[in-house]
Each structure stands twice: as C-alpha cells, then as structure tokens.
C-alpha cells in the first residue's frame, strides 16, 4: 500500500518539472552567450545579454536618430501587411480558379512554375530598374497631407518583394485546398441540386479554408522573412530591416541583435495567431477527415 | 398504377485511364424500373454498379445508349432524385441540421421552412438529440442516418444508395436496414440500392439485379417475393442467398 501511495507523488513532481522543458535550450543559449560575451569583451562581435536587453526594454527610446524600436516595428508591420494583403487578395481568387478549372490551371501553371523558383531577392535588380525609389505617394500622385507621411515611406519596390514572396505559398495552398475537396462532398452537393456557383461557394471554399489559412500562414512567414531584404533597398528610411543594417554601419551590434530579436518575436506572434485560428476554427478537419 | 420511372437502353460506359487504355466499365445495359420498386444492384467489385448509379444520378454521362428518368433523358442531376453514398459525404463544417437542410437551401427554400422540415427529418431518423452536433461527433451509423435524412429532406421520388451501410458493423448495419425498410414501407419511394452483400440484397429488395465484373453486364434479374419483415433463418431466404452466392462464385471462376 505505502509504495503504491508513493509512486504517483514522485511522478507528479517530475511532470511539473517537465513543463519547463521548452525553457532549457533558450536558457542555455543565454548563459553561453553571456559567458562568451564577457570573455570576448568585444562589443562589436558580441555584446552582452544585458546590453541587448537594455535596448529591448526601452522600446520607445530613440535609436540612432532613426526613431524607436516600436516606431520601426510599426513601419515594418504596415509594409508587410500591405504587400501581403495585396498578395492574398490576388492569390486566393486565382488559386480558387486554378483549383476549380483544369483549363485555368493548365493555362497558368507554366508561367507560375517558371516564376516560383526565383528567390525574392533575385528580383531586386529588376525591381529597382522598374520602380527605383518610387513610393506609394508618387505612385498615387499624392503630394501632401496626412496620407503622404505614410505612403511616402512605402516604396513600390518593397511592396513588390513582400508581395512576391507571400504570393506563391498562398496561391499553391489555395489551389490544392480546392483541388483536394473530397469527391463525395461534390457529388452529394450536385445530386442535391447545387449549381456550379453553389459548389464553389458552399462546398469548395469552406472545404479549402483550412488549406487557405495554412497558405496565409506560410505566406505571412515568407513576407516577414523578406522584410529585411526589402528594407535594405535604397530609399528606405525606416523599419526594422533598415534599423539593423544601419546599426551595423554604426557598429551598434547591440541594436542589431535587439532588432533581430524583435523581428523574431513579431514573426512568431503572427505565426501563433494563424496557428490559433487553425486550431480553433478547423477542429472538424483533424477530427472529421 | 405501374409507372416506369428509370430506364436504361443499351447503356455503356467507357473510361479512359491515364495511360490511354480504354476500360469498358458498363456494357450495353438495359434496365427498366417501375415506381415504388426496391431494387438491389448486386455484383462483385468493379462490376460497374457505382457507374450505373452515377450515370442515373446525372454525375457522369453515358458513353453510348440512353439513360432516362421519368421519360426524360438524364443530362444532369435531377430534383426528383437523391443520393446516399457509402461514407464521409456530410459537409464536415456544418451541423447535422445544416447538413440535412442543405438540399433545401440549394433549392432556395426559405430559412424557417427548411429548418422546420430538416428538424422533422432529423427526428425521423432518430437523431433528435444531435441536431446541432458536428458530423465528426457522430458514429458511422449516425452519420449515415443523417445522410439519409438529408437525401429525404427534398422529398425525392427516387433514392439512389451506393453501399450506404458498407462501412458499418454487422449489428448497426442490420439496424439501419430495418429502419430503411420501415421508411420505405411508409411511402414506397423508388430505391436503387447498390451492394455487394448478397444477404443485404435478399433482406431488402423487391427485385435483385446482378451484374458481372468487367465488362459490367446484367446477368440476372429477378423478383424477391418473400414478405417483410424477412428473417435470415427463413428457408426461402436461405435458399435465395445460396443461389445468388452460387451464381457469383461461378462468375468468379469463369474469369
Ligand atoms: N473515374 C474513373 N476513371 C477510370 N476508371 C473508372 C472510373 N470509375 C470507375 N472506373 C472503372 O470502372 C469499373 C467499374 O467501377 P465501379 O466503381 O462502377 O464498380 P463498382 O461495381 O461500384 O465496384 P465496387 O463494388 O468496388 O464499388 C472499374 O473497373 C473501375 O476501375
Ligand atoms: Mg462502387
């Protein structure tokens, strides 16, 4: 009896400790980082943990006269959301059409599989030749007012890079989502009297939605990933990518690392939001086949 | 009173496989079904039973011959007919009620009315406690009940069923067969029921049509006169099952 009573207790305490498992690796990384930083004592190569933390814990403090971390993050976020939103707006309908119609798919597949393997960065020279440093303000011919401040900060070339990197993940996932709708669902709907429009709106689209959200999630990751590249383009004067490349030329490795951590944290947060949507809204998918 | 409701005249279906092969799935089938018959289409796997059903349901065209329902050539799904498939045919993101109301929704029946009709149908198949449950929360048998309710909600004259109980355990299967029969005995809708279970065909049908495997041809067609409710222990039942088994075995050895 007594040994039976003891066993679960032991397991329980062990389990409680297991909750901390995800923290082990980061903690070790921080410890090693700090030790190496202190040993090296070279601010340029590796600033100490506390130097980087100091930047991160004062997110509203102006950095290198480029504005605060929060301000730059905001600028980046607006850019990404704009390029990404544009990509989603085009990729989702095109993906649905490609999934729905063999003819559209065959017609577009060639050119898309030609464009897809090109890494977003490889577009840069061409994009610069096309758009130079034109901003959305020049693009729309806006010369003043409240909108100008924002629009002049968003270069067409940046939008293009972000657009092109998030476009394909969204398109491909949408297309496969629509194509993989179970035949039995389509047949049942047809025999119940569904028109082609009903079929798209009431069967294909909802059935493909989980896949579309997965595409949106991948697209967001890709868009955020190409942000730094986009913000290093000429004409950029703000944004996290600009901040870290600029900080590097001022030998402020602490700001570089703080900026990287901010990029990572925001990217992880965005990804988390999509994962949350996938888990909450589409429980029928994993459980229902 | 006897009205012909389904007619196949020399209907063939050829599929073209990916490597360009022609597959003759259904070979010159003639079949005439009267209103209120319960016909079981029996045959081994690959004998073209589903293909015949899909042509009748307007899901795929015949390669040659004429498929007609109520005297009209079938060119697409028709409002007088509903279909129940083997499994996973409910829209997984919709509740049971919304699924059952789906056909009515597609026919633009006003919301209140379709909810009233659908609720009634759901209760009729014994799922009254699961109106708002999602399909994945139901057992296989319950999902098929919902699929049957959905097919009946549009009040069709013809019910096509493609192995609707094929994925169920023996007990649930028998239970569903009984319930289907009692539904059928009430309003005598025409049923065309595909199965490869000899026992199931003899238990349900007023007429059994046997198809052979590739190319799919009708090789036997006869009425079943055993009164309902049938029992598998009846001598007449057993004799018929044996006879059909024998026929199908011969068919298998001929190949
Ligand atoms: N879409 C298709 N493309 C190519 N061949 C097909 C297609 N559908 C069916 N076939 C072929 O036609 C033949 C008949 O198929 P069908 O599904 O009608 O048989 P079945 O009698 O319903 O079989 P089962 O009892 O296994 O359901 C099979 O040989 C099958 O391979
Ligand atoms: Mg079949």
């Amino acid at each position: 009896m007594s040994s039976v009573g003891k066993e679960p207790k032991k397991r329980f305490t062990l389990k409680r400790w297991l909750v901390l498992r995800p923290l082990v690796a980061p903690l070790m990384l921080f410890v090693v980082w700090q030790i190496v930083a202190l040993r090296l004592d070279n601010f340029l190569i590796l600033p100490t943990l506390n130097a980087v933390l100091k930047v991160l814990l004062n997110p509203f403090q102006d950095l290198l006269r480029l504005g605060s971390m929060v301000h730059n993050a905001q600028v980046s976020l607006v850019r990404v959301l704009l390029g990404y939103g544009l990509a989603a707006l085009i990729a989702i309908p095109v993906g649905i059409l490609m999934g729905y119609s063999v003819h559209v798919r065959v017609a577009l597949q060639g050119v898309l599989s030609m464009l897809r393997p090109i890494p977003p960065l490889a577009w840069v020279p061409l994009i610069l030749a096309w758009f130079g440093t034109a901003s959305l303000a020049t693009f729309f011919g806006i010369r003043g007012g409240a909108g100008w401040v924002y629009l002049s900060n968003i270069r067409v070339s940046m939008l293009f890079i972000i657009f092109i990197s998030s476009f394909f993940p969204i398109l491909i996932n949408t297309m496969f989502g629509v194509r993989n709708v179970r035949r039995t669902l389509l047949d049942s709907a047809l025999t119940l009297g569904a028109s082609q429009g009903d079929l798209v709106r009431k069967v294909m689209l909802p059935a493909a939605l989980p896949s579309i959200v997965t595409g949106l999630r991948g697209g967001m990751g890709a868009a955020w990933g190409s942000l730094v590249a986009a913000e290093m383009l000429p004409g950029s004067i703000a944004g996290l990518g600009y901040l870290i490349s600029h900080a590097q030329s001022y030998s402020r490795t602490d700001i570089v690392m703080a900026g990287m951590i901010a990029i990572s944290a925001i990217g992880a947060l965005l990804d988390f939001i999509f994962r949350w949507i996938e888990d909450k809204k589409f429980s029928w998918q994993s459980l229902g086949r | 009173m006897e009205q012909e409701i389904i007619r196949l005249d020399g209907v063939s279906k050829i599929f073209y496989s990916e490597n360009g092969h022609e597959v003759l799935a259904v070979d010159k089938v003639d079949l005439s079904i009267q209103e209120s018959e319960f016909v079981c289409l029996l045959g081994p796997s690959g004998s073209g039973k589903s293909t015949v059903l899909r042509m009748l349901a307007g899901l795929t065209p015949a390669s040659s011959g004429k498929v007609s329902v109520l005297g009209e050539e079938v060119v697409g799904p028709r409002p007088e007919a509903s279909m129940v498939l083997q499994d996973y045919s409910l829209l997984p993101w919709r509740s049971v009620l919304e699924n059952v109301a789906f056909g009515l929704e597609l026919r633009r029946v006003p919301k209140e009315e379709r909810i009233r009709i659908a609720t009634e149908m759901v209760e009729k198949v014994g799922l009254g406690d699961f109106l708002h449950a999602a399909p994945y929360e139901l057992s296989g048998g319950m999902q098929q009940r919902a699929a049957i309710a959905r097919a009946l909600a549009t009040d069709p004259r013809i019910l096509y069923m493609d192995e609707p109980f094929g994925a169920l355990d023996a007990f649930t299967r028998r239970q569903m067969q009984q319930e289907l029969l009692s539904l059928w005995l009430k309003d005598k809708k025409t049923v065309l029921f595909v199965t490869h279970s000899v026992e199931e065909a003899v238990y349900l049908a007023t007429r059994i049509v046997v198809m052979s495997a590739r190319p799919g041809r009708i090789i036997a067609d006869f009425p079943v006169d055993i009164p309902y409710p049938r029992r598998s222990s009846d001598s007449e039942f057993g004799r018929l099952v044996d006879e059909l088994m024998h026929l199908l075995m011969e068919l298998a050895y001929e190949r």
Side-chain angles (χ1 to χ4, degrees):
Chain A
M1 268 310 262
S2 63
S3 65
V4 175
K6 259 180 187 170
E7 266 282 282
K9 206 172 181 183
K10 213 170 168 184
R11 272 207 203 125
F12 182 63
T13 46
L14 190 66
K15 250 201 180 134
R16 276 237 291 238
W17 278 101
L18 287 178
V19 174
L20 300 177
R21 273 176 307 180
L23 295 179
V24 173
L27 272 174
M28 273 165 59
L29 186 70
F30 287 144
V31 169
V32 172
W33 168 1
Q34 187 70 349
I35 291 171
V36 175
L38 288 172
R39 278 279 180 89
L40 271 178
D41 196 22
N42 187 334
F43 188 78
L44 195 63
I45 294 173
L46 192 65
T48 55
L49 187 58
N50 30 313
V52 174
L53 273 180
K54 207 176 130 209
V55 179
L56 280 172
L57 291 177
N58 296 295
F60 293 101
Q61 151 206 298
D62 184 76
L63 301 166
L64 310 171
R65 300 228 194 91
L66 298 174
S68 66
M69 188 67 83
V70 169
H71 166 76
N72 282 288
Q74 212 180 320
V75 169
S76 294
L77 212 53
V78 168
R79 284 174 181 155
V80 166
L81 289 180
L82 229 86
Y84 169 80
L86 209 63
L89 225 56
I90 298 173
I92 292 176
V94 173
I96 289 171
L97 271 174
M98 287 181 72
Y100 173 73
S101 157
V102 199
H103 304 301
V104 176
R105 187 159 64 244
V106 170
L108 293 183
Q109 218 154 30
V111 68
L112 289 176
S113 47
M114 260 168 62
L115 294 179
R116 194 155 75 104
I118 303 173
L121 266 179
W123 284 93
V124 168
L126 193 62
I127 292 167
L128 285 178
W130 286 349
F131 305 112
T133 56
S135 72
L136 276 191
T138 32
F139 201 75
F140 290 121
I142 297 169
R143 299 188 182 283
W148 184 85
V149 181
Y150 257 98
L151 292 180
S152 66
N153 228 331
I154 299 170
R155 311 280 151 185
V156 178
S157 45
M158 285 176 193
L159 281 190
F160 192 95
I161 286 211
I162 292 166
F163 174 92
I164 203 85
S165 43
S166 52
F167 182 78
F168 289 105
I170 303 175
L171 179 85
I172 304 281
N173 278 286
T174 304
M175 183 179 80
F176 278 113
V178 173
R179 273 192 76 179
N180 289 341
V181 178
R182 266 206 316 274
R183 185 78 243 172
T184 51
L185 294 187
L186 300 173
D187 284 349
S188 315
L190 281 170
T191 53
L192 287 168
S195 65
Q196 291 300 304
D198 291 327
L199 218 54
V200 173
R201 271 181 299 120
K202 299 189 175 200
V203 183
M204 290 178 174
L205 204 53
L209 214 53
S211 181
I212 295 176
V213 171
T214 302
L216 285 172
R217 181 178 156 204
M220 179 55 88
W224 195 245
S226 63
L227 174 76
V228 179
E231 287 181 343
M232 283 162 91
L233 293 175
S236 175
I237 48 161
L240 290 174
Y242 180 70
L243 182 67
I244 63 177
S245 61
H246 205 70
Q248 190 239 337
S249 58
Y250 278 84
S251 311
R252 287 291 301 272
T253 313
D254 56 335
I255 297 180
V256 171
M257 292 186 73
M260 288 167 67
I261 292 174
I263 290 174
S264 146
I266 297 170
L269 182 73
L270 293 170
D271 193 65
F272 176 80
I273 293 171
F274 278 106
R275 276 225 303 267
W276 182 80
I277 296 174
E278 284 175 338
D279 286 352
K280 286 286 151 194
K281 300 286 174 205
F282 303 125
S283 51
W284 59 261
Q285 195 199 26
S286 50
L287 296 166
R289 268 163 295 180
Chain B
M1 202 209 122
E2 289 271 284
Q3 194 203 342
E4 185 181 65
I5 192 161
I6 287 170
R7 184 176 182 87
L8 301 179
D9 287 305
V11 171
S12 299
K13 178 74 181 183
I14 298 169
F15 286 109
Y16 297 91
S17 62
E18 306 227 331
N19 47 27
H21 274 307
E22 283 188 8
V23 177
L24 183 58
V26 174
D27 188 23
K28 296 195 214 75
V29 164
D30 298 308
L31 182 67
S32 164
I33 294 175
Q34 311 301 309
E35 180 131 47
S36 296
E37 278 194 285
F38 194 130
V39 177
C40 273
L41 205 52
L42 181 67
S45 191
S47 54
K49 308 180 294 293
S50 298
T51 306
V52 166
L53 216 58
R54 290 172 56 83
M55 288 191 287
L56 276 166
L59 291 172
T60 187
S63 306
S64 63
K66 194 172 159 196
V67 179
S68 21
V69 166
L70 283 162
E72 287 173 42
E73 185 156 4
V74 174
V75 289
R78 297 179 59 100
E80 311 83 16
S82 284
M83 190 149 167
V84 179
L85 301 167
Q86 182 168 3
D87 48 12
Y88 304 124
S89 65
L90 298 173
L91 301 175
W93 54 89
R94 284 180 172 231
S95 70
V96 169
L97 181 65
E98 288 165 340
N99 263 292
V100 174
F102 189 42
L104 300 165
E105 181 183 327
L106 293 169
R107 279 154 215 230
R108 314 288 184 256
V109 172
K111 186 161 187 181
E112 242 165 69
E113 198 187 339
R114 66 179 190 244
I115 286 180
R116 184 182 58 74
I117 299 172
T119 308
E120 210 173 281
M121 279 323 301
V122 172
E123 278 163 3
K124 208 165 169 180
V125 298
L127 290 179
D129 293 339
F130 298 90
L131 274 174
H132 303 290
Y136 66 79
E137 296 173 292
L138 306 182
S139 69
M142 287 153 86
Q143 290 185 20
Q144 286 313 82
R145 273 167 220 258
I148 291 171
R150 179 176 69 178
L152 293 176
T154 52
D155 196 23
R157 287 173 72 176
I158 308 172
L159 200 54
Y160 299 123
M161 307 184 90
D162 195 350
E163 298 185 44
F165 310 142
L168 305 179
D169 64 84
F171 174 73
T172 313
R173 191 166 180 162
R174 177 45 51 91
Q175 206 180 2
M176 298 285 292
Q177 289 166 351
Q178 281 172 359
E179 286 170 28
L180 176 65
L181 266 184
S182 69
L183 281 174
W184 176 75
L185 287 166
K186 260 178 234 152
D187 45 24
K188 295 277 178 87
K189 290 175 190 302
T190 310
V191 178
L192 185 53
F193 188 109
V194 164
T195 180
H196 39 213
S197 158
V198 171
E199 226 261 338
E200 181 165 62
V202 176
Y203 188 78
L204 293 172
T206 61
R207 175 179 167 198
I208 296 177
V209 174
V210 185
M211 292 185 72
S212 66
R214 277 208 269 165
R217 288 189 183 125
I218 293 181
I219 51 151
D221 181 347
F222 52 88
V224 182
D225 294 324
I226 312 169
Y228 300 104
R230 297 172 183 166
R231 308 174 139 274
S232 38
S233 52
D234 283 354
S235 62
E236 176 70 6
F237 192 105
R239 194 191 56 73
L240 197 53
V241 169
D242 275 353
E243 200 176 297
L244 280 165
M245 266 309 187
H246 196 73
L247 185 68
L248 289 172
M249 291 302 257
E250 260 181 9
L251 213 66
Y253 286 125
E254 262 172 31
R255 277 151 54 80

